[in-house]
Amino acid sequence: MALLKRVIVCLDVRRGQVTKGVKFQGNVDLGDPVEYAIRYDEQGVDELVFYDITASAEDRNLFLDVVENVAASIRIPFSVGGGIDSLDSMRSVLLAGAEKVSLNSPAVRNPDLLGKGAAAFGAQCIVLGVDAKKVDKTDAIPSGYEVVIQGGRTPTGLDVLQWVTEAEERGAGEICLNAIDTDGVRDGYELTLTRMVADAVGIPVIASGGGGEPSHLTDAVTTGGADAALVASMVHYGDYTVEQIKAEMAADGIAVRVSAQP
Amino acid sequence: MAGMAVAILDYNAGNVTSVAHAVRRLGFDAQITADHDTIRAADHVIFPGVGAAATCMQVVRERGLDVALKEAVESGKPVFGICVGMQLLFDHSDEDGGVDCIGLLPGRVKRFELDDPTLKVPHMGWNPVRFVDGEPIARDLVGAADTACYFVHSYYCDPDPSVEVIATADHGHAFCVGVRKDNLVALQCHPEKSGPVGMSILSSFLEAN
């Protein structure tokens, strides 16, 4: 009767539409975020993540409308990422109804944001999003995984393990760990990286990037040691429902929530 | 029953909007308010919240919501504390270096101190909850295969033995998830974010009078 492993669905939102790209490129629009959110809630997803992948002020307001409409329409927690770079931007999405905010590049540029956000809203609301890329092991990057920002375009010289440990100390309440090399490829999560991070921090870790079939999620929470696994393509394109994923995980012996009714 | 007024106490805590959405979805009239007359006039009172105990208690006192809550409990109307709203009902919380709370229930709020490194704090996610038999807010969950509810917290309530515990769950050890004292009921988990199970709990609370 302990904590269940979570299945999280990630929705990238651009100009009010759910969109999906491969390795951060070639996005196609899929449809209305609220409709997607309701469908996944009914399928028994444990949590949703909405990323605002545009940055213009006009689109920002459109995105906040999406957040409000989602909050009014679903019965499960969700977090919001993308463009969160100040206490004000955190406050605006939390007031719009999100449970948590996810900070990625802005946390690298301004690590104080993590502590300030945790003090203002509680550590449980502050998710550190990390995009990690496999590199040669060096003195500067002993883990062999480097933090990259701006959607994977810009290397930072930061070691992933050092960064997540620092972020935990500063007040992050959860880590969403996205492996750039496996993102969108649907060939399985980066299990070595996931395990390394899960062992290094005392806060929950979400494995992201590479989920293509239910066994991948089982691997992420067993071999990878993650508390949750994030999926996108494998459910957006209709290959699997969340229910099917969870049924297979349950058959693998993973304790997951099975939603009894819509 | 639908259309009855539900006062959701406003003390700048997080998550209040989610509770209002859930209440409205069930067909009740939800008002997020700190106004004492509105709270007095309400049929049900919900004291929700996510946040740090010290900051929350400060705003609760500034707005006199501790007084309004006591009055609501004494009036006999159903009152529901959720998450931090449950914790603040107790005498004292260890959070933020120690905070005196409202004291409607004897007991204190403690941090999870877990030896097992695989168990994370905050306790965040879905955890199965054991409700005691006959608890009204769980009346429709009898026999339900899955009673998992959504939790987000680092502290938990440790009530005095005189307090009636209505629900427990495990995170390293069994801990108190719910308490009841007559018309006052409280849960550590978030029914407003717990899918169909949570909706059933909220609906059972709102249909009590």
Side-chain angles (χ1 to χ4, degrees):
Chain A
M1 301 288 273
L3 213 51
L4 305 174
K5 297 295 183 182
R6 283 173 285 158
V7 174
I8 301 176
V9 169
C10 177
L11 301 113
D12 288 342
V13 178
R14 184 177 64 171
R15 289 183 217 101
Q17 293 283 303
V18 176
T19 184
K20 182 64 196 158
V22 176
K23 288 198 176 180
F24 292 88
Q25 285 163 5
N27 284 77
V28 286
D29 285 349
L30 299 176
D32 178 8
V34 175
E35 284 175 24
Y36 270 83
I38 292 171
R39 184 189 315 162
Y40 294 135
D41 178 4
E42 289 177 352
Q43 290 177 6
V45 76
D46 298 311
E47 207 170 311
L48 295 170
V49 185
F50 292 86
Y51 276 105
D52 181 8
I53 64 163
T54 48
S56 76
E58 194 180 317
D59 285 347
R60 188 75 197 158
N61 290 332
L62 196 59
F63 182 74
L64 281 175
D65 289 344
V66 168
V67 173
E68 279 186 19
N69 290 333
V70 166
S73 308
I74 61 171
R75 309 161 293 180
I76 52 164
F78 68 100
S79 56
V80 163
I84 311 277
D85 57 4
S86 64
L87 283 180
D88 281 343
S89 55
M90 292 183 207
R91 188 175 290 112
S92 63
V93 295
L94 292 172
L95 283 177
E99 263 61 50
K100 309 182 212 175
V101 293
S102 184
L103 288 85
N104 193 322
S105 307
V108 173
R109 293 194 198 99
N110 179 10
D112 283 347
L113 270 180
L114 295 169
K116 285 180 179 164
F121 310 112
Q124 81 291 331
C125 298
I126 309 298
V127 184
L128 176 75
V130 180
D131 287 333
K133 189 168 178 55
K134 196 169 176 132
V135 293
D136 290 336
K137 287 185 188 179
T138 60
D139 288 348
I141 305 178
S143 73
Y145 290 95
E146 181 178 7
V147 178
V148 292
I149 57 173
Q150 291 183 312
R153 291 189 299 273
T154 311
T156 63
L158 278 172
D159 183 274
V160 167
L161 277 195
Q162 286 168 4
W163 175 228
V164 294
T165 312
E166 179 186 338
E168 178 181 18
E169 282 165 11
R170 286 179 174 273
E174 188 170 43
I175 306 282
C176 183
L177 179 66
N178 186 48
I180 290 284
D181 305 292
T182 54
D183 181 62
V185 181
R186 307 179 62 179
D187 206 21
Y189 297 90
E190 237 285 22
L191 299 176
T192 310
L193 168 71
T194 306
R195 169 55 77 176
M196 214 185 264
V197 170
D199 285 348
V201 296
I203 51 180
V205 173
I206 303 164
S208 163
E213 51 185 79
S215 66
H216 294 157
L217 286 90
T218 295
D219 293 342
V221 300
T222 53
T223 314
D227 300 275
L230 186 140
V231 296
S233 327
M234 66 184 283
V235 291
H236 294 335
Y237 296 133
D239 300 85
Y240 293 95
T241 63
V242 175
E243 243 167 338
Q244 287 168 334
I245 294 172
K246 286 186 155 189
E248 292 206 28
M249 291 174 78
D252 289 338
I254 309 297
V256 291
R257 179 177 71 107
V258 284
S259 185
Q261 52 193 294
Chain B
M1 207 76 74
M4 288 175 85
V6 180
I8 299 170
L9 303 196
D10 176 13
Y11 59 106
N12 282 354
N15 221 41
V16 170
T17 317
S18 309
V19 176
H21 285 313
V23 168
R24 287 177 192 138
R25 178 194 288 263
L26 290 166
F28 291 79
D29 172 26
Q31 294 194 56
I32 299 172
T33 182
D35 177 68
H36 289 210
D37 287 335
T38 307
I39 298 167
R40 262 179 223 120
D43 302 298
H44 296 79
V45 173
I46 301 181
F47 184 41
V50 168
T55 317
C56 289
M57 255 333 282
Q58 189 187 337
V59 182
V60 162
R61 290 222 167 86
E62 279 167 13
R63 297 183 181 178
L65 292 174
D66 45 346
V67 178
L69 256 180
K70 283 177 188 166
E71 190 185 312
V73 170
E74 281 161 16
S75 77
K77 71 178 73 163
V79 177
F80 195 171
I82 297 172
C83 193
V84 169
M86 172 188 189
Q87 297 181 358
L88 297 184
L89 296 172
F90 285 86
D91 294 322
H92 186 86
S93 170
D94 291 345
E95 194 175 359
D96 299 319
V99 187
D100 285 333
C101 299
I102 297 171
L104 276 164
L105 298 169
R108 69 191 291 147
V109 180
K110 297 176 173 171
R111 189 177 166 86
F112 279 110
E113 299 294 349
L114 305 170
D115 296 329
D116 182 347
T118 66
L119 294 173
K120 309 290 176 94
V121 179
H123 172 237
M124 189 190 301
W126 298 80
N127 206 326
V129 175
R130 292 174 295 258
F131 286 96
V132 297
D133 289 343
E135 166 48 44
I137 60 166
R139 64 178 189 191
D140 295 330
L141 299 179
V142 178
D146 196 329
T147 54
C149 289
Y150 186 74
F151 290 81
V152 185
H153 62 128
S154 299
Y155 290 77
Y156 66 96
C157 299
D158 185 15
D160 186 88
S162 64
V163 179
E164 184 191 356
V165 174
I166 58 160
T168 54
D170 299 325
H171 188 56
H173 51 78
F175 69 96
C176 167
V177 171
V179 292
R180 175 178 284 282
K181 187 181 169 190
D182 306 319
N183 52 313
L184 173 63
V185 65
L187 286 180
Q188 179 62 62
C189 51
H190 291 275
E192 76 280 8
K193 286 285 157 182
S194 295
V197 167
M199 285 297 135
S200 159
I201 290 170
L202 271 177
S203 158
S204 299
F205 168 74
L206 293 171
E207 282 162 18
N209 46 47

